[in-house]
Amino acid sequence: MNTIVISSQKELAEWRTRIESAWQKSVQSVIEVGNLVKQAKEQLGVSYSLLEAELPFSSTVAAFLIKIAENPVLSNPSYHSRLPNGYNTLYYLASVDEKQLVQQLENGEITPNFTLASAKLLREAQPKKTTTKVKFAEPKKPKTITYEVGSISIAAPANTDQFQVDLLKLLTKYGGTITHTHKDNSLAEWHRKIVHQQACEMIAQSEAGLQNISYEEIRMLEDAAHFLTKDKNQKNKAELVIKDELVIRTCLPDDYKDLAKIRALLGIEQVTRGQLKKWCIDNKVPNQFTELSSMDKELYIWEQVRLVAERKDVKGGLKRLKDMASRSTIPNIKSLAQRALKEVTRFDNKA
């Protein structure tokens, strides 16, 4: 068991006195102090930090001094008269190649007047030490060649979850992959129709809970909002007065299929996306304008499933389902959105 011994104040004071006495900033004193600091560090152990706090120089300077003292050229007394006194300059010289350092001292290139800037340049001119990493050739993994098995047809599975588990086991066992097709007679298409049917049934059940608006009107407003977000539908403009200011906004064109019904429902002549949004929020109509984290209508989830299943707005429907599946603050809505998202992407090769 190692025992940590804290040195006495007397011992620390003795070291401090010796170091301070030697600290004259000549070459000889720099070397002497460097050696003393090194010895104190080795002998005092953990107590050195107590001494370090009382020294007439910083811990960085102490490290400089040790490096200088450890250099065999700089610590050689025969060269002391040729060296500059500054410890900063000596520190940079300590990083110069020893043979080069001796040569430049011998031929008079380094003198007591050698500057700190010159010492820095000399160190920077030193070739960088590079370590060569030995790379061992890794054995090449044999390339796996896969073969198409053919087309497999199955009866509609009673449990799609279990079917996919069984299929995954088979693929894992033989290192295979699968690409789902979406042809009319494919399993993915069968599943899409099942999901679409369920969505429509749930929408019909949820519609009974609506107030002041029908499901058909909700869908009508959703379609109109979606229409107004498309770049190609930005041509029709109208002048409106908003907060006593005349502005130009994109609005539904006169030939829009449900324009008359929407005008009657909203009670306005020119229907813009902003007006649609305000009316829906004011009347608490569940649609894309509602803050999804607080959406409390299951109807809206099933509406997104319908949009994806009908391929009417796959990108938008999936995005809103993902948002509710991750951001909803209502547990049952979040859970339903997660299950719905799983079903509409079950046979999606990108999922």
Side-chain angles (χ1 to χ4, degrees):
M1 179 177 177
N2 295 327
T3 303
I4 298 175
V5 179
I6 304 299
S7 303
S8 66
Q9 289 296 326
K10 181 180 178 182
E11 186 179 8
L12 293 175
E14 289 175 353
W15 276 109
R16 183 177 66 250
T17 301
R18 291 177 64 187
I19 292 172
E20 287 177 345
S21 299
W23 183 234
Q24 302 298 323
K25 297 188 179 179
S26 65
V27 177
Q28 293 86 345
S29 66
V30 167
I31 301 299
E32 183 181 356
V33 172
N35 284 322
L36 285 172
V37 171
K38 183 180 179 182
Q39 293 171 26
K41 198 170 186 179
E42 292 172 350
Q43 293 185 28
L44 295 176
V46 294
S47 298
Y48 173 73
S49 60
L50 301 175
L51 170 65
E52 191 175 51
E54 299 183 18
L55 293 178
F57 42 76
S58 67
S59 58
T60 301
V61 173
F64 283 11
L65 299 175
I66 292 175
K67 182 171 182 177
I68 295 167
E70 289 178 339
N71 186 282
V73 179
L74 300 181
S75 60
N76 188 336
S78 62
Y79 293 123
H80 288 178
S81 61
R82 307 181 192 185
L83 289 167
N85 290 330
Y87 65 82
N88 279 322
T89 306
L90 292 171
Y91 169 74
Y92 282 99
L93 290 178
S95 299
V96 177
D97 178 72
E98 292 176 13
K99 290 183 179 179
Q100 181 182 350
L101 192 58
V102 170
Q103 183 180 354
Q104 292 192 254
L105 282 167
E106 294 288 354
N107 62 23
E109 292 181 53
I110 296 177
T111 67
N113 296 322
F114 202 72
T115 64
L116 174 61
S118 298
K120 286 183 178 180
L121 289 173
L122 192 59
R123 189 187 75 164
E124 290 172 2
Q126 297 297 298
K128 303 292 183 182
K129 292 183 179 180
T130 57
T131 55
T132 304
K133 292 184 178 180
V134 179
K135 291 186 177 181
F136 296 96
E138 295 182 2
K140 292 184 178 180
K141 295 181 180 179
K143 186 177 180 180
T144 302
I145 301 175
T146 58
Y147 302 92
E148 286 190 18
V149 176
S151 177
I152 300 176
S153 299
I154 63 168
N159 186 319
T160 49
D161 280 330
Q162 187 58 50
F163 163 73
Q164 289 194 308
V165 169
D166 295 339
L167 182 60
L168 180 60
K169 287 180 180 178
L170 180 66
L171 294 173
T172 302
K173 181 177 180 180
Y174 292 101
T177 59
I178 187 170
T179 300
H180 296 295
T181 62
H182 292 79
K183 298 177 181 178
D184 290 342
N185 63 340
S186 67
L187 186 65
E189 181 63 14
W190 166 81
H191 181 71
R192 184 191 67 79
K193 291 177 180 178
I194 295 294
V195 170
H196 179 257
Q197 181 182 350
Q198 183 182 10
C200 291
E201 290 174 356
M202 297 307 297
I203 287 170
Q205 292 179 24
S206 302
E207 190 175 2
L210 294 176
Q211 296 178 353
N212 305 322
I213 192 170
S214 68
Y215 170 67
E216 288 302 322
E217 289 172 331
I218 289 177
R219 183 182 292 186
M220 179 177 67
L221 295 179
E222 185 96 18
D223 289 345
H226 183 64
F227 176 90
L228 288 170
T229 60
K230 297 293 184 181
D231 291 339
K232 64 180 181 180
N233 300 326
Q234 301 296 307
K235 298 177 182 178
N236 195 62
K237 306 288 184 180
E239 292 184 346
L240 303 173
V241 177
I242 300 178
K243 295 182 180 179
D244 299 325
E245 184 179 348
L246 185 65
V247 296
I248 297 177
R249 293 286 186 269
T250 301
C251 62
L252 292 176
D254 291 337
D255 59 351
Y256 185 75
K257 59 178 182 176
D258 294 318
L259 182 60
K261 294 179 182 178
I262 296 174
R263 281 174 172 172
L265 181 64
L266 273 60
I268 56 177
E269 186 65 22
Q270 301 294 346
V271 181
T272 67
R273 190 171 185 274
Q275 290 168 317
L276 269 177
K277 178 178 180 179
K278 184 178 185 305
W279 191 91
C280 290
I281 292 175
D282 291 345
N283 291 274
K284 298 182 179 179
V285 175
N287 58 23
Q288 61 180 289
F289 300 130
T290 309
E291 172 53 46
L292 296 183
S293 63
S294 59
M295 167 66 71
D296 61 354
K297 299 286 192 299
E298 291 187 1
L299 169 66
Y300 191 59
I301 294 177
W302 291 114
E303 175 64 5
Q304 304 317 305
V305 174
R306 180 191 69 82
L307 289 173
V308 175
E310 291 181 359
R311 302 192 181 98
K312 192 170 185 178
D313 183 16
V314 176
K315 185 177 180 180
L318 287 176
K319 182 180 183 302
R320 290 186 282 275
L321 282 175
K322 288 176 181 177
D323 284 345
M324 287 186 286
S326 60
R327 294 171 46 208
S328 178
T329 57
I330 304 171
N332 66 306
I333 295 295
K334 186 173 186 177
S335 176
L336 178 60
Q338 290 171 345
R339 297 198 306 274
L341 184 61
K342 177 183 177 182
E343 291 304 324
V344 296
T345 59
R346 184 181 288 277
F347 294 103
D348 187 348
N349 289 313
K350 295 180 181 179

